[in-house]
Amino acid sequence: MKARVLVRLKPGILDVQGTSVKRALEGLGFGEVRDLRVGKVLEVELDAPDSARARGRIEEMCARLLANPVTEDFTVEILPEN
Amino acid sequence: MTGAEPKVTKELALSHGLTAEEYDRIIRRLGREPRFTELGLFSALWSEHCAYKHSRVFLRDLPTQGPQVLQGPGENAGIVDLGGGLALAFKIESHNHPSFIEPFQGAATGVGGILRDIFTMGARPIAILDSLRFAPPDDAKARRLLEGVVSGISWYGNCFGVPNLGGEVAFAPEYAGNPLVNAMAVGLVPTDRIFRARAEGVGNPVFYVGAKTGRDGIHGATMASATFDEGAAERRPTVQVGDPFTEKLLLEACLEAMATGAIVGIQDMGAAGLACACSEMPARAGTGMEVDLDRVPQRDRGMTPYEIMLSESQERMLLVCSRGREAEIRAVFAKWELDAVEIGRVTGDGILRARMHGEIVAEVPVKALADEAPVYEKPTARPDWQDALEAFDPLTLPAVAPERALLALVGSPALASKLWVYRQYDTQVGINTLVVPGSDAGILRIKGTGKAVAVTADGNARQVYLDPRRGAAMAVAEAARNLAVSGARPLGLTDCLNFGSPERPEILWQFKEAVGGIGDACRALEIPVVGGNVSFYNETLGQAILPTPVIGMAGLLEDAEARCTQWFEEAGDRIALIGPDAVSLGGSEYLWALHRRVAGRLAPLDLDVERAVQGACRAAIEGRLVRSAHDCAEGGLAVTVAECCVSGPTPLGAVLELPAGGDRDDLALFGEGPSRIVVSVPASAARAFEALVREFAVPWRWIGRVGGDRLVVRRGETPLVDLTVEQLGHEWRSGFARSVA
Amino acid sequence: MRFGVVVFPGTWSDCDFHYVISEVLRQPVSYIWHREANLSGYDCVVLPGGFSYGDYLRAGAVAGRSPVVEALPEFVARGGLVLGSCNGFQILCESRLLPGALTRNDSLQYRCQFVHVRVDNAETAFTRATRPGQVLKMPISHGEGKYYCDGPTLRSLKEKSQVVFRYCEEDGRLTKDANPNGSLDNIAGVVNEEGTVLGLMPHPERAAEKAVGGIDGLAIFHSLLASLVEDGTFLKR
């Protein structure tokens, strides 16, 4: 089973990296960018009997290691099997 | 497996970077056509980067011996004796081509490679330095390269945990398509625990340890042996990616494994990866090696034997273990969570035999690969532009007003403070650093001994361009002088020789002359060359870099307390200039910064005087007769004294009284010449200092006094410069940062 | 005082702390491998600087979940002291032994330089030998040293005097220029409520000898030694 986890800074937290990237885009002529925030994508492939169980385990992984609850939020997307 | 490999033809060999003659030579040596994987082995091992085909004939004449040399050229690093049972391993290497393609990873893996060259000898790395060259920073691409390279060095060195003790950053338009990234590393090893890269003992198991093998950097060695064309950007996939965390684990595991006594020989896998290690190690020992490529830990699926042998995946070592002690090796690497796999054994037949899926994919005499690459003596020719360069007289250009020139020089990216660079580097991990970057040399203590080691990396490409023999000798002299002003006696030298294409007679002439100059200076100053690196083919679309020999040097202070830094410390101290008056604007920073010219004659170099001046300086420091000592080099006397005023923790002014003379003011202030040192002497030590310099019979004179908050330079009655230390300091502190940010 | 210096894969200041503690302070000290969960032989455990696990994922994230760190709450409850410097501070925050988090420097660059910090709580086991308001000069060396916590946490830290060090000018004034990484409220170091666990970004072990960085860092070590009472327990706050 495959899942995609997005780890993002919580809304209130200053994203210094994002600010810097936005400025760089402006320098390249993309003045229309209003905001930009940098996050992380984790692609997880795991053995699980069903997607509900997989989601549960991955959310646990996020809570325990993959995201820092002080500064980060996460979303979990189970990818359709192809 | 072999049935699936392409048939080897002459066209295939040529596309691998071999010449038609080299291909014929291979056929004659093997008695048959090579297999595909074997062709890969030869193309890598016989590349210029690995085999030094065009340079060997000139490098042979360099002096490599001395009573303190424990290991000269020929192993992964050179080693000099520090006394008391300790030795210093050091080496400098280039990673130029990968840094142009992908600056962050190119520079990072350059650091990784040189660190492995040090700890494969059994030495724990204690410092790194880097010498960097780019196009002038008003070019956006040059700024991006600089930023990427510095970030890469910072990331790798800091994560690994070794302090960066210095280096240099220089700019010239000729580096636009070919930046230079030369990385130096220094390590400490007990003299009885030195390891060498020899596959000794027939029947001994051969272990692969470290990271897994992927497709990184395949043919990195051949890329370094070719000039760039328009397709350079497309070559991105061949750049290696580093992992400093794994390197740190590898360091600890290797040193721990070495301590067990179970390791017989060890080599890091750098350029040409397994291919190089599996041929050089047995070639040095007069043995052979058998390897089973199926056993090599792989990161990518479906790798061919060719790819496995040539991969330049980082953070891997090949070691030969004492038969029967395999379990000890495995235990150490398991603790550090690294792969340690027995992939073969040492044989007695002098052959490298590689198998995959039970079939032989390569069967080549190791010496054919490691020792029998052709040695070329290609034509050299003095370039037809050389006469015109020398004939140019800088004094035909109008003089620039001294204050304006001084501010421009001190604030130029070439000469301004490089704090912007080195504050991104950890300079103190290990708590051995006595002098951080910012003085003429970095200085590290050796715990438990009372001694210290000083290290520097220097080059001056403009001078070598104008007069390769003298310019290269001056580079050696300058490196040694940077150690002398720190209170250290040079022990050995490592060189990184960066040049254009050796197939062009003018470039090869530059190389030959430069190597000759290095030899001249090393012999006169009694400094052996213990290792080095040649980087050819630094040119793009026919435009070559300036000939750039970079000198890495290490020296010893018997008494760490008798160390010296470059800045003034006390008002009232007297200032002296030790050394000859002969200077020239030819090739100077002034000529470039103010007139954008590189031309003219260099000042004369008298190596006996250089030797005496360095000796006098060292003796003065040891005798505690001077408070500061600074090498008088780029920018000339005025810039040197300005640096003494502003580069320390407490900026101080000075008043210089220079003799009125027939020469022009700009020549007197900004002319450059070798063998010159500016020292500050406490008034109470003045007599003793005078006696000492007389004893050494070196030219010298008093030139002024430290004090106040202004730098005033007078010539006879005329004040040429009267600037506040604050203004000078501001220019010096901000000049680099504002150019590159 | 029996010191233990924890070593993770990737740590490098372990040797520096070990050297200062044994050669400068002349106290018993040994290395603790990260898999070790038995901390009974120590009075003070040090989590040193470095790049444990390469700082991969987040600095201190993986180390924060190792056996030795998971043994720390019980060690602290039994009266042990914990000093975390740089990566050690990051690990203490990741393992929730200290509140807050360390994030990327505002400059987005690694910074190695000397800073001044002001002692804002001189009553912890780590600052007992200092005066309130005393300024210490120590080096920092990090890419992720910007301290962050939310509003309620910051209020609580202030109310309970848990902020121990703040970045300041040489004369003790708190300014933006003196803050090398953008840390909230110039915070450079905090303690837990009991004052027995300290996390700070500067490297006190790099300021324990005159020749290599000055001796202001020794104040922290001397405070630790002064906190040890005869019966083997510690003077707490």
Side-chain angles (χ1 to χ4, degrees):
Chain A
M1 195 148 285
K2 289 195 182 158
R4 185 177 295 139
V5 178
L6 290 178
V7 176
R8 282 180 278 216
L9 285 173
K10 286 185 194 291
I13 311 259
L14 174 63
D15 181 3
V16 191
Q17 215 181 163
T19 315
S20 171
V21 173
K22 174 170 174 288
R23 211 176 302 127
L25 282 177
E26 279 161 20
L28 291 171
F30 297 105
E32 66 267 42
V33 177
R34 300 262 217 96
D35 193 19
L36 185 152
R37 290 173 78 72
V38 178
K40 264 184 281 212
V41 172
L42 294 109
E43 286 169 342
V44 186
E45 204 178 317
L46 75 167
D47 295 324
D50 55 60
S51 58
R53 231 86 60 98
R55 176 179 294 279
R57 289 291 278 172
I58 292 177
E59 285 174 355
E60 218 185 302
M61 291 175 209
C62 289
R64 283 189 62 190
L65 180 65
L66 302 181
N68 182 339
V70 178
T71 49
E72 294 171 331
D73 287 331
F74 63 88
T75 56
V76 180
E77 187 193 343
I78 305 292
L79 299 173
E81 311 225 30
N82 271 341
Chain B
M1 187 76 237
T2 41
E5 292 191 329
K7 168 125 177 67
V8 175
T9 61
K10 180 169 278 187
E11 286 66 42
L12 192 60
L14 295 179
S15 75
H16 269 75
L18 293 164
T19 66
E21 297 76 31
E22 288 169 350
Y23 182 55
D24 287 337
R25 194 191 278 235
I26 292 169
I27 294 178
R28 280 200 306 275
R29 182 64 171 89
L30 296 180
R32 55 173 170 83
E33 271 173 7
R35 299 177 175 89
F36 182 62
T37 300
E38 294 169 342
L39 178 69
L41 297 179
F42 277 102
S43 79
L45 270 291
W46 282 24
S47 70
E48 186 63 44
H49 183 85
C50 289
Y52 292 67
K53 293 178 292 197
H54 288 82
S55 58
R56 214 182 271 262
V57 63
F58 306 112
L59 297 173
R60 280 202 284 245
D61 294 331
L62 287 173
T64 59
Q65 298 183 316
Q68 72 274 30
V69 176
L70 297 175
Q71 177 61 57
E75 277 279 340
N76 289 103
I79 305 185
V80 294
D81 199 346
L82 294 174
L86 284 176
L88 199 72
F90 62 101
K91 186 161 172 214
I92 192 169
E93 260 211 357
S94 62
H95 226 232
N96 303 330
H97 295 77
S99 298
F100 179 70
I101 304 254
E102 182 12 80
F104 183 90
Q105 289 295 345
T109 51
V111 173
I114 195 67
L115 285 170
R116 285 194 301 280
D117 277 334
I118 296 302
F119 67 80
T120 196
M121 309 294 292
R124 181 174 281 277
I126 56 173
I128 54 174
L129 298 89
D130 47 85
S131 170
L132 313 175
R133 282 171 167 76
F134 307 96
D138 38 288
D139 176 35
K141 167 101 187 161
R143 283 200 301 278
R144 275 203 300 281
L145 284 172
L146 167 66
E147 212 185 296
V149 164
V150 171
S151 304
I153 294 170
S154 163
W155 171 66
Y156 205 101
N158 295 344
C159 182
F160 177 82
V162 63
N164 192 308
L165 266 278
E168 49 172 11
V169 185
F171 302 98
E174 289 83 354
Y175 300 111
N178 294 88
L180 298 186
V181 176
N182 294 171
M184 176 174 170
V186 183
L188 206 59
V189 59
T191 47
D192 57 358
R193 307 266 223 102
I194 295 173
F195 281 78
R196 290 182 167 81
R198 301 164 63 89
E200 312 238 4
V202 176
N204 276 341
V206 173
F207 270 81
Y208 166 117
V209 301
K212 295 196 199 296
T213 297
R215 293 193 165 88
D216 328 53
I218 289 179
H219 276 306
T222 30
M223 172 174 63
S225 309
T227 62
F228 283 134
D229 52 34
E230 280 101 359
E234 275 126 50
R235 291 210 194 89
R236 198 174 271 253
T238 60
V239 171
Q240 314 95 316
V241 173
D243 180 355
F245 168 58
T246 298
E247 179 107 327
K248 164 72 170 159
L249 302 182
L250 189 63
L251 163 74
E252 298 303 336
C254 284
L255 292 181
E256 221 175 283
M258 286 163 170
T260 65
I263 295 185
V264 166
I266 177 170
Q267 169 148 320
D268 76 297
M269 291 194 236
L274 262 175
C276 191
C278 293
S279 35
E280 285 184 359
M281 287 186 78
R284 283 192 194 97
T287 54
M289 191 178 285
E290 266 188 5
V291 290
D292 184 351
L293 297 181
D294 298 288
R295 293 163 159 260
V296 170
Q298 290 164 49
R299 199 178 76 215
D300 289 333
R301 280 185 269 256
M303 290 185 69
T304 64
Y306 178 99
E307 290 172 328
I308 295 172
M309 288 302 288
L310 293 189
S311 165
E312 297 193 348
S313 293
Q314 300 287 292
E315 292 99 25
R316 305 173 300 158
M317 318 280 279
L318 195 73
L319 63 88
V320 174
C321 165
S322 233
R323 182 125 154 237
R325 302 187 66 177
E326 295 87 333
E328 292 167 70
I329 300 286
R330 286 200 190 94
V332 169
F333 284 89
K335 170 186 166 192
W336 290 97
E337 296 170 35
L338 295 169
D339 281 328
V341 178
E342 191 176 329
I343 64 165
R345 56 189 193 87
V346 178
T347 66
D349 64 3
I351 305 279
L352 168 58
R353 194 171 289 105
R355 285 187 176 79
M356 186 134 173
H357 304 329
E359 287 191 30
I360 292 182
V361 293
E363 194 166 25
V364 179
V366 296
K367 285 197 194 284
L369 289 166
D371 300 333
E372 291 171 24
V375 173
Y376 293 137
E377 194 158 353
K378 289 286 165 86
T380 64
R382 190 164 186 278
D384 44 26
W385 63 74
Q386 208 70 30
D387 284 337
L389 283 179
E390 272 182 37
F392 174 76
D393 181 1
L395 294 172
T396 55
L397 292 169
V400 175
E403 279 183 1
R404 194 185 126 222
L406 182 57
L407 287 168
L409 282 167
V410 155
S412 66
L415 299 182
S417 163
K418 303 295 183 295
L419 182 67
W420 182 96
V421 172
Y422 61 78
R423 74 179 171 192
Q424 298 182 53
Y425 300 149
D426 194 331
T427 56
Q428 296 155 315
V429 56
I431 46 176
N432 292 319
T433 310
L434 298 174
V435 175
V436 295
S439 188
D440 282 303
I443 305 183
L444 290 150
R445 67 173 169 180
I446 312 282
K447 286 192 190 92
T449 68
K451 300 183 193 180
V453 165
V455 287
T456 184
D458 296 284
N460 189 321
R462 280 199 292 269
Q463 288 177 343
V464 178
Y465 177 62
L466 294 178
D467 186 336
R469 191 159 189 131
R470 191 186 305 180
M474 282 176 167
V476 173
E478 188 177 334
R481 205 177 317 124
N482 279 331
L483 296 186
V485 298
S486 308
R489 183 174 53 88
L491 291 177
L493 172 161
T494 176
D495 55 78
C496 194
L497 307 175
N498 306 276
F499 287 74
S501 167
E503 292 161 42
R504 290 169 49 187
E506 324 83 76
I507 304 294
L508 201 59
W509 176 82
Q510 290 175 337
F511 184 82
K512 173 182 169 185
E513 291 298 301
V515 172
I518 293 172
D520 293 341
C522 285
R523 271 179 289 269
L525 300 174
E526 288 181 278
I527 305 173
V529 176
V530 296
N533 174 240
V534 174
S535 171
F536 273 134
Y537 298 99
N538 292 287
E539 44 181 87
T540 300
L541 298 172
Q543 164 75 58
I545 56 167
L546 297 175
T548 315
V550 173
I551 308 296
M553 204 178 275
L556 178 66
L557 290 91
E558 289 289 351
D559 177 6
E561 293 309 303
R563 62 183 179 273
C564 199
T565 45
Q566 70 179 38
W567 42 80
F568 295 147
E569 288 182 358
E570 194 85 16
D573 284 354
R574 297 186 68 180
I575 305 171
L577 171 67
I578 311 176
D581 282 332
V583 293
S584 168
L585 288 175
S588 66
E589 279 298 330
Y590 169 87
L591 198 62
W592 170 255
L594 280 319
H595 294 289
R596 285 288 183 267
R597 295 288 295 262
V598 179
R601 272 195 205 265
L602 302 180
L605 170 65
D606 182 334
L607 286 165
D608 290 328
V609 172
E610 177 76 52
R611 201 188 151 119
V613 163
Q614 291 185 19
C617 185
R618 246 194 312 276
I621 293 171
E622 275 164 34
R624 308 291 203 275
L625 301 179
V626 301
R627 195 118 45 191
S628 71
H630 188 18
D631 175 28
C632 183
E634 283 105 353
L637 182 62
V639 168
T640 301
V641 175
E643 288 169 350
C644 296
C645 290
V646 306
S647 65
T650 345
L652 275 169
V655 177
L656 292 192
E657 312 271 8
L658 302 181
D663 52 346
R664 230 162 69 168
D665 290 336
D666 56 351
L667 178 60
L669 293 178
F670 307 111
E672 298 176 12
S675 319
R676 286 149 63 86
I677 296 175
V678 170
V679 298
S680 62
V681 180
S684 55
R687 279 283 155 76
F689 175 79
E690 287 174 353
L692 186 142
V693 281
R694 268 198 301 272
E695 197 189 308
F696 274 84
V698 289
W700 76 282
R701 58 191 153 81
W702 292 116
I703 57 171
R705 203 175 282 269
V706 179
D709 58 3
R710 311 181 72 83
L711 172 60
V712 177
V713 182
R714 274 197 281 267
R715 231 186 153 189
E717 289 302 308
T718 331
L720 299 177
V721 172
D722 187 349
L723 293 166
T724 62
V725 162
E726 202 187 307
Q727 188 182 7
L728 274 169
H730 173 78
E731 281 305 305
W732 181 76
R733 273 187 304 274
S734 60
F736 187 87
R738 68 163 175 254
S739 304
V740 305
Chain C
M1 174 170 283
R2 297 162 302 162
F3 286 87
V5 176
V6 178
V7 183
F8 299 97
T11 300
W12 30 245
S13 285
D14 48 322
C15 305
D16 298 348
F17 269 100
H18 193 286
Y19 178 83
V20 166
I21 295 169
S22 82
E23 303 304 313
V24 178
L25 295 174
R26 301 238 171 263
Q27 298 293 311
V29 58
S30 48
Y31 291 109
I32 308 175
W33 187 239
H34 63 107
R35 293 203 208 284
E36 181 59 64
N38 180 356
L39 299 174
S40 54
Y42 304 102
D43 303 315
C44 177
V45 169
V46 175
L47 297 177
F51 279 65
S52 56
Y53 297 97
D55 270 12
Y56 295 150
L57 192 64
R58 297 179 305 275
V62 179
R65 280 112 183 130
S66 59
V68 66
V69 174
E70 296 198 334
L72 284 179
E74 202 209 304
F75 172 76
V76 170
R78 279 189 288 109
L81 299 174
V82 179
L83 167 66
S85 155
C86 198
N87 192 218
F89 188 9
Q90 293 160 341
I91 293 169
L92 287 170
C93 288
E94 279 282 340
S95 64
R96 330 310 333 275
L97 278 156
L98 288 175
L102 281 324
T103 59
R104 193 112 181 250
N105 293 350
D106 269 351
S107 66
L108 293 179
Q109 284 180 348
Y110 195 96
R111 278 281 187 273
C112 175
Q113 62 186 75
F114 274 94
V115 297
H116 292 97
V117 296
R118 191 180 72 187
V119 177
D120 279 351
N121 182 339
E123 288 171 22
T124 71
F126 311 90
T127 46
R128 175 155 285 114
T130 68
R131 295 178 324 271
Q134 182 173 349
V135 174
L136 303 176
K137 184 177 170 193
M138 289 185 283
I140 54 163
S141 186
H142 58 248
E144 288 167 61
K146 177 178 174 177
Y147 186 77
Y148 168 83
C149 62
D150 60 26
T153 308
L154 180 63
R155 267 193 302 279
S156 168
L157 287 176
K158 284 171 152 173
E159 273 160 31
K160 299 182 187 163
S161 299
Q162 283 175 256
V163 178
V164 179
F165 298 113
R166 283 191 170 84
Y167 299 110
C168 66
E169 302 284 349
E170 202 175 335
D171 59 11
R173 282 174 304 123
L174 300 183
T175 64
K176 190 160 172 278
D177 281 342
N179 186 335
N181 47 40
S183 277
L184 183 65
D185 213 28
N186 279 33
I187 291 174
V190 303
V191 277
N192 60 350
E193 284 187 32
E194 298 78 31
T196 54
V197 177
L198 171 74
L200 77 163
M201 283 316 292
H203 286 258
E205 81 287 7
R206 293 188 185 185
E209 292 169 281
K210 217 158 145 237
V212 288
I215 50 169
D216 284 4
L218 275 180
I220 295 173
F221 294 101
H222 287 155
S223 300
L224 280 167
L225 297 180
S227 298
L228 182 59
V229 187
E230 270 137 34
D231 66 357
T233 58
F234 300 106
L235 286 173
K236 293 207 215 163
R237 30 200 316 246

